[in-house]
């Protein structure tokens, strides 16, 4: 006579197996991601020369804000940027490939040089935010929407780093 035994697996074993499988799935998804990293920056642009109006009187030039985002990707195809949202306000961006790497962005407010060094053979893209977007406040959320390699993507950033101001001439 054959006797069947049932094995009862403890809940802690099920929980451990669940955690391991979840972590393996998340690693597999991040390895296949086309966008590896993204960072947002802004700097105040100070007017250089004193502007004068048609009547010869000085015109008060106001400082502007230049915003840009760097995206690190795995393939050498530019992402198609549809919209960029700063705290829910829609703006547009122009995209440019950065070829000289490592890339020195500028100096942060603590005086440290900011450098972007992509991993392996990754490509770095600079998104220049529309200069007509004049928000002076730093956003709590930046969302980039577009298509990359034919697939829609949404990239979310929670932080924007301030760089030291530039003078324009």
């Amino acid at each position: 006579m054959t006797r069947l035994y049932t094995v009862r697996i403890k809940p802690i074993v099920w929980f451990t197996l669940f955690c391991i499988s979840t972590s393996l799935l998340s690693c597999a998804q991040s390895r296949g991601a086309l966008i590896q990293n993204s960072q947002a920056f802004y700097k105040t642009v100070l007017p250089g020369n004193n502007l004068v109006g048609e009547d010869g009187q000085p015109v008060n030039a106001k400082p502007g804000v230049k915003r840009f985002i760097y995206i690190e990707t795995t393939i050498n195809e530019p992402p198609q940027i549809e919209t960029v949202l700063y705290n829910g306000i829609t703006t547009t961006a122009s995209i440019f490939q950065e070829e000289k790497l490592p890339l020195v962005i500028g100096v942060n407010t603590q005086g440290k040089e900011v450098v972007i060094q992509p991993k392996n053979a990754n490509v770095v893209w600079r998104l220049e935010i529309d200069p007509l977007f004049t928000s002076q406040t730093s956003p709590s959320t930046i969302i980039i929407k577009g298509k990359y390699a034919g697939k829609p993507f949404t990239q979310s950033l929670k932080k924007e780093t301030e760089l030291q101001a530039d003078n324009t001439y």
Side-chain angles (χ1 to χ4, degrees):
M1 185 164 178
T2 311
R3 189 169 215 172
L4 295 174
Y5 292 98
T6 57
V7 178
R8 185 169 166 94
I9 300 176
K10 295 183 178 185
I12 191 72
V13 174
W14 285 113
F15 179 75
T16 305
L17 290 172
F18 173 76
C19 290
I20 291 170
S21 63
T22 303
S23 66
L24 289 174
L25 284 173
S26 65
C27 290
Q29 288 177 354
S30 66
R31 256 186 253 129
L34 297 172
I35 296 178
Q36 297 294 306
N37 191 14
S38 57
Q39 299 175 46
F41 300 92
Y42 73 99
K43 66 171 106 179
T44 303
V45 181
L46 304 172
N49 294 333
N50 292 333
L51 301 174
V52 293
E54 291 179 11
D55 58 358
Q57 296 297 318
V59 176
N60 290 334
K62 297 178 183 176
V65 175
K66 183 177 180 182
R67 296 182 186 280
F68 41 99
I69 301 170
Y70 288 91
I71 297 176
E72 183 180 339
T73 64
T74 56
I75 60 176
N76 195 13
E77 178 184 324
Q80 297 173 342
I81 305 302
E82 294 169 358
T83 58
V84 179
L85 299 164
Y86 273 80
N87 286 340
I89 300 171
T90 303
T91 186
T92 58
S94 301
I95 189 164
F96 304 93
Q97 183 176 359
E98 294 291 349
E99 295 182 12
K100 187 177 178 186
L101 300 171
L103 183 63
V104 178
I105 306 284
V107 178
N108 66 17
T109 54
Q110 290 81 33
K112 274 183 80 175
E113 193 173 62
V114 179
V115 178
I116 292 180
Q117 175 64 51
K119 297 176 188 170
N120 303 328
N122 288 352
V123 181
V124 176
W125 303 92
R126 181 181 74 245
L127 298 178
E128 290 186 0
I129 306 305
D130 184 358
L132 298 177
F133 180 71
T134 58
S135 175
Q136 299 288 338
T137 59
S138 187
S140 59
T141 304
I142 304 168
I143 298 173
I144 306 166
K145 293 183 179 183
K147 287 186 179 178
Y148 194 51
K151 298 177 184 177
F153 75 88
T154 300
Q155 186 77 11
S156 181
L157 295 100
K158 299 287 183 189
K159 178 178 113 174
E160 187 179 44
T161 303
E162 182 179 3
L163 301 175
Q164 289 182 1
D166 280 347
N167 288 328
T168 56
Y169 297 100

